[in-house]
Amino acid sequence: MSTAVVYCSQTGFTERYARWLAESLGTRAVPFDERASSSVDSAGTLVFLSWFHAGGLKGARWLRDLMDGRPERRYVVVGVGAYPMPSDEWPKSETDAAFDQAFPQDRYPDLARFYCQGGFDFDRLCALDRLAMRAFFRMQAKAARTDPRVAFALDAMREGFDGTRREYLQPVLEHLRG
Ligand SMILES: Cc1cc2nc3c(=O)[nH]c(=O)nc-3n(C[C@H](O)[C@H](O)[C@H](O)COP(=O)(O)O)c2cc1C
């Protein structure tokens, strides 16, 4: 059974993960705009990579509708965000909560979920997201004075960063091959 790799990306970090994954699997990374293509429709396994946006995952509704309509297929979701890879300081529970929000576990117990850190590139954001991020930066400035985690995140986003690492996809590949 073939595997389709579909991605949704605004500033390119998720797209990079999708291309890496597709290359490792010997397939093509399909942009979200082309999600209705026949190669996606006929695939036995569907991997959807997308980015976190204000606690939600872009395109999550599309994946939920697919899973509801065709539950016999195997589905994998890879969420990409600015949040660092899990560690003691940056617990996995926070990215899990974002996945739970998009895909409640009682409704989608078989969905395999993986997190990969993306990056932040203010200049490539759409106008609406620039406005939202400016407001977010202002809101967080006060908290950053007393919370080192907030200060770290705020500095990283203001300067822009690229946290993508191909090795973060290893668990996804192991899951798909396992
Ligand atoms: C308006 C906005 C909201 C965001 N919300 C979150 C979030 O809730 N959690 C997170 O980890 N990252 C968040 N991010 C960061 C993006 O997920 C991150 O920059 C990601 O790498 C973007 O992927 P892309 O380059 O494929 O578009 C947000 C970014 C923007 C612009």
Side-chain angles (χ1 to χ4, degrees):
M1 282 289 230
S2 65
T3 298
V5 173
V6 179
Y7 70 91
C8 177
S9 179
Q10 176 173 222
T11 61
F13 298 105
T14 311
E15 178 175 358
R16 189 177 307 150
Y17 279 117
R19 288 185 186 280
W20 279 334
L21 187 67
E23 186 185 79
S24 297
L25 296 171
T27 185
R28 185 174 85 88
V30 179
F32 197 61
D33 286 352
E34 296 170 30
R35 61 193 180 281
S37 74
S38 58
S39 63
V40 175
D41 191 54
S42 62
T45 299
L46 190 120
V47 187
F48 180 49
L49 301 94
S50 187
W51 57 289
F52 283 112
H53 182 269
L57 193 79
K58 286 278 181 181
R61 176 179 292 182
W62 170 71
L63 188 60
R64 283 195 301 267
D65 287 349
L66 267 190
M67 290 190 289
D68 291 342
R70 296 180 56 187
E72 75 288 355
R73 297 214 284 189
R74 182 159 77 138
Y75 296 94
V76 175
V77 65
V78 179
V80 175
Y83 196 81
M85 293 303 279
S87 65
D88 288 346
E89 198 185 353
W90 301 92
K92 185 173 175 294
S93 53
E94 295 192 27
T95 51
D96 280 347
F99 279 124
D100 286 344
Q101 172 117 333
F103 308 105
Q105 277 199 296
D106 54 344
R107 220 172 125 195
Y108 304 105
D110 299 328
L111 175 66
R113 315 171 321 172
F114 297 90
Y115 180 75
C116 292
Q117 188 184 26
F120 193 76
D121 186 344
F122 188 87
D123 294 338
R124 300 194 68 187
L125 294 178
C126 67
L128 206 61
D129 279 345
R130 283 187 196 195
L131 274 179
M133 289 314 296
R134 283 206 183 95
F136 178 75
F137 289 164
R138 274 198 302 277
M139 264 169 47
Q140 296 290 84
K142 195 172 170 203
R145 284 188 224 130
T146 51
D147 185 335
R149 268 186 17 147
V150 175
F152 173 84
L154 201 55
D155 281 352
M157 289 176 111
R158 277 191 174 132
E159 284 187 19
F161 71 96
D162 178 355
T164 57
R165 303 279 180 277
R166 191 167 182 154
E167 72 217 41
Y168 295 159
L169 287 170
Q170 202 51 38
V172 184
L173 285 166
E174 280 165 18
H175 173 81
L176 288 168
R177 288 171 178 154

